[in-house]
Amino acid sequence: MQLYVSEPSWNEYNAVPYRARFRLDPEVVVLFLKELQQSAIVVVSTQRLTAASHESDNRFLECAATARAMCLVTGNTRQFPSPEF
């Protein structure tokens, strides 16, 4: 299995884990992001999607569509559409 990221999704990964509500150790986040950066393939999304109710979540759908991903892993099932993705 291969991991794909796009610039917008990478920007989210670099911001969200540091939010206080997640209470993650910043040093662990830095190590995780380094591993992620080394193992992910960067794609440039070729289309704009509007399927997700939260606009920034559409960037993850675009990344998955561009990479022709078999799955999209998220804990945010409330805002991602399920039938088509």
Side-chain angles (χ1 to χ4, degrees), residues 37-66:
Q37 187 176 32
Q38 291 174 356
S39 62
I41 294 175
V42 178
V43 297
V44 176
S45 299
T46 56
Q47 60 185 351
R48 293 291 280 188
L49 298 175
T50 58
S53 61
H54 192 252
E55 181 54 32
S56 64
D57 291 338
N58 287 305
R59 304 304 76 83
F60 290 92
L61 296 174
E62 293 163 1
C63 178
T66 300

PDB file of all heavy atoms in Angstrom, residues 37-66:
ATOM      1  N   GLN A  37       6.607  12.413   5.563  1.00  0.00           N
ATOM      2  CA  GLN A  37       7.227  13.104   4.439  1.00  0.00           C
ATOM      3  C   GLN A  37       8.158  12.181   3.661  1.00  0.00           C
ATOM      4  O   GLN A  37       8.224  12.236   2.436  1.00  0.00           O
ATOM      5  CB  GLN A  37       7.988  14.334   4.923  1.00  0.00           C
ATOM      6  CG  GLN A  37       8.517  15.211   3.819  1.00  0.00           C
ATOM      7  CD  GLN A  37       9.162  16.459   4.347  1.00  0.00           C
ATOM      8  OE1 GLN A  37       9.746  16.461   5.434  1.00  0.00           O
ATOM      9  NE2 GLN A  37       9.067  17.540   3.596  1.00  0.00           N
ATOM     10  N   GLN A  38       8.853  11.309   4.353  1.00  0.00           N
ATOM     11  CA  GLN A  38       9.787  10.398   3.700  1.00  0.00           C
ATOM     12  C   GLN A  38       9.099   9.267   2.950  1.00  0.00           C
ATOM     13  O   GLN A  38       9.644   8.738   1.989  1.00  0.00           O
ATOM     14  CB  GLN A  38      10.766   9.816   4.722  1.00  0.00           C
ATOM     15  CG  GLN A  38      11.726  10.833   5.267  1.00  0.00           C
ATOM     16  CD  GLN A  38      12.595  10.283   6.394  1.00  0.00           C
ATOM     17  OE1 GLN A  38      12.436   9.164   6.814  1.00  0.00           O
ATOM     18  NE2 GLN A  38      13.512  11.090   6.872  1.00  0.00           N
ATOM     19  N   SER A  39       7.904   8.892   3.383  1.00  0.00           N
ATOM     20  CA  SER A  39       7.254   7.732   2.785  1.00  0.00           C
ATOM     21  C   SER A  39       6.139   8.071   1.804  1.00  0.00           C
ATOM     22  O   SER A  39       5.737   7.230   1.008  1.00  0.00           O
ATOM     23  CB  SER A  39       6.713   6.812   3.877  1.00  0.00           C
ATOM     24  OG  SER A  39       5.745   7.476   4.650  1.00  0.00           O
ATOM     25  N   ALA A  40       5.642   9.286   1.822  1.00  0.00           N
ATOM     26  CA  ALA A  40       4.495   9.658   0.981  1.00  0.00           C
ATOM     27  C   ALA A  40       4.933  10.091  -0.414  1.00  0.00           C
ATOM     28  O   ALA A  40       6.016  10.640  -0.596  1.00  0.00           O
ATOM     29  CB  ALA A  40       3.708  10.784   1.642  1.00  0.00           C
ATOM     30  N   ILE A  41       4.059   9.834  -1.357  1.00  0.00           N
ATOM     31  CA  ILE A  41       4.234  10.337  -2.713  1.00  0.00           C
ATOM     32  C   ILE A  41       3.361  11.582  -2.841  1.00  0.00           C
ATOM     33  O   ILE A  41       2.173  11.554  -2.509  1.00  0.00           O
ATOM     34  CB  ILE A  41       3.804   9.287  -3.749  1.00  0.00           C
ATOM     35  CG1 ILE A  41       4.751   8.088  -3.693  1.00  0.00           C
ATOM     36  CG2 ILE A  41       3.764   9.888  -5.152  1.00  0.00           C
ATOM     37  CD1 ILE A  41       4.344   6.949  -4.591  1.00  0.00           C
ATOM     38  N   VAL A  42       3.954  12.657  -3.315  1.00  0.00           N
ATOM     39  CA  VAL A  42       3.223  13.912  -3.469  1.00  0.00           C
ATOM     40  C   VAL A  42       2.556  13.938  -4.838  1.00  0.00           C
ATOM     41  O   VAL A  42       3.201  13.660  -5.851  1.00  0.00           O
ATOM     42  CB  VAL A  42       4.162  15.124  -3.316  1.00  0.00           C
ATOM     43  CG1 VAL A  42       3.412  16.433  -3.530  1.00  0.00           C
ATOM     44  CG2 VAL A  42       4.827  15.108  -1.949  1.00  0.00           C
ATOM     45  N   VAL A  43       1.265  14.232  -4.836  1.00  0.00           N
ATOM     46  CA  VAL A  43       0.526  14.365  -6.084  1.00  0.00           C
ATOM     47  C   VAL A  43      -0.002  15.793  -6.202  1.00  0.00           C
ATOM     48  O   VAL A  43      -0.201  16.477  -5.196  1.00  0.00           O
ATOM     49  CB  VAL A  43      -0.652  13.366  -6.179  1.00  0.00           C
ATOM     50  CG1 VAL A  43      -0.150  11.939  -6.163  1.00  0.00           C
ATOM     51  CG2 VAL A  43      -1.672  13.582  -5.078  1.00  0.00           C
ATOM     52  N   VAL A  44      -0.222  16.217  -7.421  1.00  0.00           N
ATOM     53  CA  VAL A  44      -0.813  17.521  -7.679  1.00  0.00           C
ATOM     54  C   VAL A  44      -2.228  17.261  -8.179  1.00  0.00           C
ATOM     55  O   VAL A  44      -2.413  16.657  -9.241  1.00  0.00           O
ATOM     56  CB  VAL A  44       0.002  18.313  -8.725  1.00  0.00           C
ATOM     57  CG1 VAL A  44      -0.678  19.639  -9.047  1.00  0.00           C
ATOM     58  CG2 VAL A  44       1.416  18.530  -8.231  1.00  0.00           C
ATOM     59  N   SER A  45      -3.187  17.672  -7.409  1.00  0.00           N
ATOM     60  CA  SER A  45      -4.588  17.428  -7.755  1.00  0.00           C
ATOM     61  C   SER A  45      -4.941  18.133  -9.059  1.00  0.00           C
ATOM     62  O   SER A  45      -4.561  19.285  -9.273  1.00  0.00           O
ATOM     63  CB  SER A  45      -5.511  17.906  -6.637  1.00  0.00           C
ATOM     64  OG  SER A  45      -5.227  17.194  -5.455  1.00  0.00           O
ATOM     65  N   THR A  46      -5.675  17.413  -9.902  1.00  0.00           N
ATOM     66  CA  THR A  46      -6.009  17.932 -11.225  1.00  0.00           C
ATOM     67  C   THR A  46      -7.461  18.372 -11.343  1.00  0.00           C
ATOM     68  O   THR A  46      -7.858  18.868 -12.388  1.00  0.00           O
ATOM     69  CB  THR A  46      -5.729  16.849 -12.281  1.00  0.00           C
ATOM     70  OG1 THR A  46      -6.457  15.670 -11.935  1.00  0.00           O
ATOM     71  CG2 THR A  46      -4.242  16.533 -12.350  1.00  0.00           C
ATOM     72  N   GLN A  47      -8.237  18.169 -10.296  1.00  0.00           N
ATOM     73  CA  GLN A  47      -9.643  18.556 -10.340  1.00  0.00           C
ATOM     74  C   GLN A  47     -10.086  19.118  -8.999  1.00  0.00           C
ATOM     75  O   GLN A  47      -9.494  18.807  -7.979  1.00  0.00           O
ATOM     76  CB  GLN A  47     -10.511  17.363 -10.712  1.00  0.00           C
ATOM     77  CG  GLN A  47     -10.399  16.200  -9.743  1.00  0.00           C
ATOM     78  CD  GLN A  47     -11.193  14.989 -10.215  1.00  0.00           C
ATOM     79  OE1 GLN A  47     -11.940  15.060 -11.165  1.00  0.00           O
ATOM     80  NE2 GLN A  47     -11.025  13.878  -9.542  1.00  0.00           N
ATOM     81  N   ARG A  48     -11.121  19.945  -9.039  1.00  0.00           N
ATOM     82  CA  ARG A  48     -11.703  20.489  -7.807  1.00  0.00           C
ATOM     83  C   ARG A  48     -12.974  19.723  -7.509  1.00  0.00           C
ATOM     84  O   ARG A  48     -13.827  19.565  -8.378  1.00  0.00           O
ATOM     85  CB  ARG A  48     -12.035  21.969  -7.968  1.00  0.00           C
ATOM     86  CG  ARG A  48     -10.841  22.879  -8.139  1.00  0.00           C
ATOM     87  CD  ARG A  48     -10.014  22.998  -6.910  1.00  0.00           C
ATOM     88  NE  ARG A  48     -10.608  23.940  -5.973  1.00  0.00           N
ATOM     89  CZ  ARG A  48     -10.008  24.345  -4.877  1.00  0.00           C
ATOM     90  NH1 ARG A  48      -8.826  23.906  -4.570  1.00  0.00           N
ATOM     91  NH2 ARG A  48     -10.601  25.185  -4.067  1.00  0.00           N
ATOM     92  N   LEU A  49     -13.092  19.233  -6.278  1.00  0.00           N
ATOM     93  CA  LEU A  49     -14.281  18.506  -5.845  1.00  0.00           C
ATOM     94  C   LEU A  49     -15.014  19.303  -4.783  1.00  0.00           C
ATOM     95  O   LEU A  49     -14.401  20.097  -4.055  1.00  0.00           O
ATOM     96  CB  LEU A  49     -13.899  17.132  -5.299  1.00  0.00           C
ATOM     97  CG  LEU A  49     -13.232  16.183  -6.296  1.00  0.00           C
ATOM     98  CD1 LEU A  49     -12.802  14.896  -5.598  1.00  0.00           C
ATOM     99  CD2 LEU A  49     -14.174  15.866  -7.439  1.00  0.00           C
ATOM    100  N   THR A  50     -16.308  19.066  -4.671  1.00  0.00           N
ATOM    101  CA  THR A  50     -17.124  19.753  -3.669  1.00  0.00           C
ATOM    102  C   THR A  50     -18.040  18.767  -2.962  1.00  0.00           C
ATOM    103  O   THR A  50     -19.113  19.131  -2.504  1.00  0.00           O
ATOM    104  CB  THR A  50     -17.967  20.873  -4.317  1.00  0.00           C
ATOM    105  OG1 THR A  50     -18.802  20.289  -5.329  1.00  0.00           O
ATOM    106  CG2 THR A  50     -17.103  21.953  -4.916  1.00  0.00           C
ATOM    107  N   ALA A  51     -17.634  17.507  -2.871  1.00  0.00           N
ATOM    108  CA  ALA A  51     -18.482  16.458  -2.305  1.00  0.00           C
ATOM    109  C   ALA A  51     -18.563  16.506  -0.782  1.00  0.00           C
ATOM    110  O   ALA A  51     -19.572  16.117  -0.200  1.00  0.00           O
ATOM    111  CB  ALA A  51     -17.991  15.089  -2.754  1.00  0.00           C
ATOM    112  N   ALA A  52     -17.516  16.968  -0.120  1.00  0.00           N
ATOM    113  CA  ALA A  52     -17.496  17.011   1.340  1.00  0.00           C
ATOM    114  C   ALA A  52     -18.171  18.283   1.843  1.00  0.00           C
ATOM    115  O   ALA A  52     -18.061  19.342   1.220  1.00  0.00           O
ATOM    116  CB  ALA A  52     -16.064  16.951   1.867  1.00  0.00           C
ATOM    117  N   SER A  53     -18.844  18.177   2.975  1.00  0.00           N
ATOM    118  CA  SER A  53     -19.541  19.340   3.524  1.00  0.00           C
ATOM    119  C   SER A  53     -18.577  20.391   4.081  1.00  0.00           C
ATOM    120  O   SER A  53     -18.887  21.571   4.109  1.00  0.00           O
ATOM    121  CB  SER A  53     -20.527  18.906   4.609  1.00  0.00           C
ATOM    122  OG  SER A  53     -19.845  18.269   5.671  1.00  0.00           O
ATOM    123  N   HIS A  54     -17.415  19.975   4.513  1.00  0.00           N
ATOM    124  CA  HIS A  54     -16.396  20.891   5.023  1.00  0.00           C
ATOM    125  C   HIS A  54     -15.417  21.147   3.877  1.00  0.00           C
ATOM    126  O   HIS A  54     -14.747  20.226   3.406  1.00  0.00           O
ATOM    127  CB  HIS A  54     -15.693  20.263   6.236  1.00  0.00           C
ATOM    128  CG  HIS A  54     -14.850  21.200   6.990  1.00  0.00           C
ATOM    129  ND1 HIS A  54     -13.478  21.144   6.953  1.00  0.00           N
ATOM    130  CD2 HIS A  54     -15.164  22.228   7.804  1.00  0.00           C
ATOM    131  CE1 HIS A  54     -12.982  22.091   7.715  1.00  0.00           C
ATOM    132  NE2 HIS A  54     -13.982  22.765   8.246  1.00  0.00           N
ATOM    133  N   GLU A  55     -15.336  22.375   3.416  1.00  0.00           N
ATOM    134  CA  GLU A  55     -14.599  22.688   2.201  1.00  0.00           C
ATOM    135  C   GLU A  55     -13.159  22.179   2.195  1.00  0.00           C
ATOM    136  O   GLU A  55     -12.693  21.624   1.202  1.00  0.00           O
ATOM    137  CB  GLU A  55     -14.628  24.199   1.936  1.00  0.00           C
ATOM    138  CG  GLU A  55     -13.908  24.637   0.680  1.00  0.00           C
ATOM    139  CD  GLU A  55     -14.360  23.916  -0.595  1.00  0.00           C
ATOM    140  OE1 GLU A  55     -15.538  23.534  -0.723  1.00  0.00           O
ATOM    141  OE2 GLU A  55     -13.517  23.735  -1.491  1.00  0.00           O
ATOM    142  N   SER A  56     -12.443  22.319   3.290  1.00  0.00           N
ATOM    143  CA  SER A  56     -11.044  21.881   3.279  1.00  0.00           C
ATOM    144  C   SER A  56     -10.915  20.367   3.164  1.00  0.00           C
ATOM    145  O   SER A  56      -9.885  19.856   2.714  1.00  0.00           O
ATOM    146  CB  SER A  56     -10.307  22.396   4.522  1.00  0.00           C
ATOM    147  OG  SER A  56     -10.871  21.840   5.690  1.00  0.00           O
ATOM    148  N   ASP A  57     -11.955  19.619   3.528  1.00  0.00           N
ATOM    149  CA  ASP A  57     -11.927  18.162   3.369  1.00  0.00           C
ATOM    150  C   ASP A  57     -11.953  17.749   1.903  1.00  0.00           C
ATOM    151  O   ASP A  57     -11.501  16.656   1.549  1.00  0.00           O
ATOM    152  CB  ASP A  57     -13.090  17.506   4.114  1.00  0.00           C
ATOM    153  CG  ASP A  57     -12.933  17.622   5.625  1.00  0.00           C
ATOM    154  OD1 ASP A  57     -11.797  17.813   6.090  1.00  0.00           O
ATOM    155  OD2 ASP A  57     -13.951  17.535   6.325  1.00  0.00           O
ATOM    156  N   ASN A  58     -12.445  18.612   1.049  1.00  0.00           N
ATOM    157  CA  ASN A  58     -12.441  18.320  -0.383  1.00  0.00           C
ATOM    158  C   ASN A  58     -11.032  18.174  -0.930  1.00  0.00           C
ATOM    159  O   ASN A  58     -10.807  17.451  -1.892  1.00  0.00           O
ATOM    160  CB  ASN A  58     -13.209  19.392  -1.154  1.00  0.00           C
ATOM    161  CG  ASN A  58     -14.690  19.262  -0.951  1.00  0.00           C
ATOM    162  OD1 ASN A  58     -15.278  18.214  -1.185  1.00  0.00           O
ATOM    163  ND2 ASN A  58     -15.308  20.338  -0.488  1.00  0.00           N
ATOM    164  N   ARG A  59     -10.054  18.828  -0.302  1.00  0.00           N
ATOM    165  CA  ARG A  59      -8.678  18.696  -0.760  1.00  0.00           C
ATOM    166  C   ARG A  59      -8.174  17.258  -0.583  1.00  0.00           C
ATOM    167  O   ARG A  59      -7.388  16.757  -1.371  1.00  0.00           O
ATOM    168  CB  ARG A  59      -7.748  19.652  -0.014  1.00  0.00           C
ATOM    169  CG  ARG A  59      -8.101  21.162  -0.044  1.00  0.00           C
ATOM    170  CD  ARG A  59      -8.242  21.799  -1.413  1.00  0.00           C
ATOM    171  NE  ARG A  59      -9.444  21.506  -2.117  1.00  0.00           N
ATOM    172  CZ  ARG A  59     -10.644  22.130  -1.971  1.00  0.00           C
ATOM    173  NH1 ARG A  59     -10.802  23.087  -1.103  1.00  0.00           N
ATOM    174  NH2 ARG A  59     -11.684  21.780  -2.706  1.00  0.00           N
ATOM    175  N   PHE A  60      -8.638  16.580   0.467  1.00  0.00           N
ATOM    176  CA  PHE A  60      -8.254  15.177   0.678  1.00  0.00           C
ATOM    177  C   PHE A  60      -8.914  14.278  -0.364  1.00  0.00           C
ATOM    178  O   PHE A  60      -8.296  13.334  -0.863  1.00  0.00           O
ATOM    179  CB  PHE A  60      -8.617  14.726   2.094  1.00  0.00           C
ATOM    180  CG  PHE A  60      -7.757  15.366   3.139  1.00  0.00           C
ATOM    181  CD1 PHE A  60      -8.145  16.549   3.750  1.00  0.00           C
ATOM    182  CD2 PHE A  60      -6.550  14.797   3.503  1.00  0.00           C
ATOM    183  CE1 PHE A  60      -7.349  17.152   4.707  1.00  0.00           C
ATOM    184  CE2 PHE A  60      -5.740  15.395   4.455  1.00  0.00           C
ATOM    185  CZ  PHE A  60      -6.142  16.574   5.054  1.00  0.00           C
ATOM    186  N   LEU A  61     -10.156  14.587  -0.697  1.00  0.00           N
ATOM    187  CA  LEU A  61     -10.848  13.826  -1.745  1.00  0.00           C
ATOM    188  C   LEU A  61     -10.163  14.032  -3.088  1.00  0.00           C
ATOM    189  O   LEU A  61     -10.004  13.085  -3.868  1.00  0.00           O
ATOM    190  CB  LEU A  61     -12.313  14.251  -1.828  1.00  0.00           C
ATOM    191  CG  LEU A  61     -13.163  13.966  -0.595  1.00  0.00           C
ATOM    192  CD1 LEU A  61     -14.550  14.560  -0.765  1.00  0.00           C
ATOM    193  CD2 LEU A  61     -13.246  12.471  -0.331  1.00  0.00           C
ATOM    194  N   GLU A  62      -9.739  15.247  -3.361  1.00  0.00           N
ATOM    195  CA  GLU A  62      -9.031  15.537  -4.607  1.00  0.00           C
ATOM    196  C   GLU A  62      -7.714  14.775  -4.675  1.00  0.00           C
ATOM    197  O   GLU A  62      -7.364  14.222  -5.723  1.00  0.00           O
ATOM    198  CB  GLU A  62      -8.783  17.037  -4.729  1.00  0.00           C
ATOM    199  CG  GLU A  62     -10.046  17.841  -4.894  1.00  0.00           C
ATOM    200  CD  GLU A  62      -9.879  19.321  -4.606  1.00  0.00           C
ATOM    201  OE1 GLU A  62      -8.760  19.775  -4.276  1.00  0.00           O
ATOM    202  OE2 GLU A  62     -10.899  20.027  -4.696  1.00  0.00           O
ATOM    203  N   CYS A  63      -7.007  14.735  -3.572  1.00  0.00           N
ATOM    204  CA  CYS A  63      -5.749  13.988  -3.512  1.00  0.00           C
ATOM    205  C   CYS A  63      -6.006  12.508  -3.788  1.00  0.00           C
ATOM    206  O   CYS A  63      -5.309  11.886  -4.599  1.00  0.00           O
ATOM    207  CB  CYS A  63      -5.095  14.177  -2.145  1.00  0.00           C
ATOM    208  SG  CYS A  63      -3.557  13.258  -1.921  1.00  0.00           S
ATOM    209  N   ALA A  64      -7.005  11.949  -3.136  1.00  0.00           N
ATOM    210  CA  ALA A  64      -7.330  10.534  -3.327  1.00  0.00           C
ATOM    211  C   ALA A  64      -7.746  10.249  -4.763  1.00  0.00           C
ATOM    212  O   ALA A  64      -7.339   9.242  -5.352  1.00  0.00           O
ATOM    213  CB  ALA A  64      -8.437  10.120  -2.358  1.00  0.00           C
ATOM    214  N   ALA A  65      -8.544  11.133  -5.350  1.00  0.00           N
ATOM    215  CA  ALA A  65      -8.987  10.944  -6.735  1.00  0.00           C
ATOM    216  C   ALA A  65      -7.808  11.012  -7.699  1.00  0.00           C
ATOM    217  O   ALA A  65      -7.686  10.189  -8.606  1.00  0.00           O
ATOM    218  CB  ALA A  65     -10.040  11.989  -7.094  1.00  0.00           C
ATOM    219  N   THR A  66      -6.915  11.971  -7.505  1.00  0.00           N
ATOM    220  CA  THR A  66      -5.754  12.126  -8.365  1.00  0.00           C
ATOM    221  C   THR A  66      -4.834  10.912  -8.273  1.00  0.00           C
ATOM    222  O   THR A  66      -4.311  10.440  -9.277  1.00  0.00           O
ATOM    223  CB  THR A  66      -4.979  13.410  -8.009  1.00  0.00           C
ATOM    224  OG1 THR A  66      -5.850  14.532  -8.178  1.00  0.00           O
ATOM    225  CG2 THR A  66      -3.754  13.580  -8.879  1.00  0.00           C
TER     226      THR A  66
END
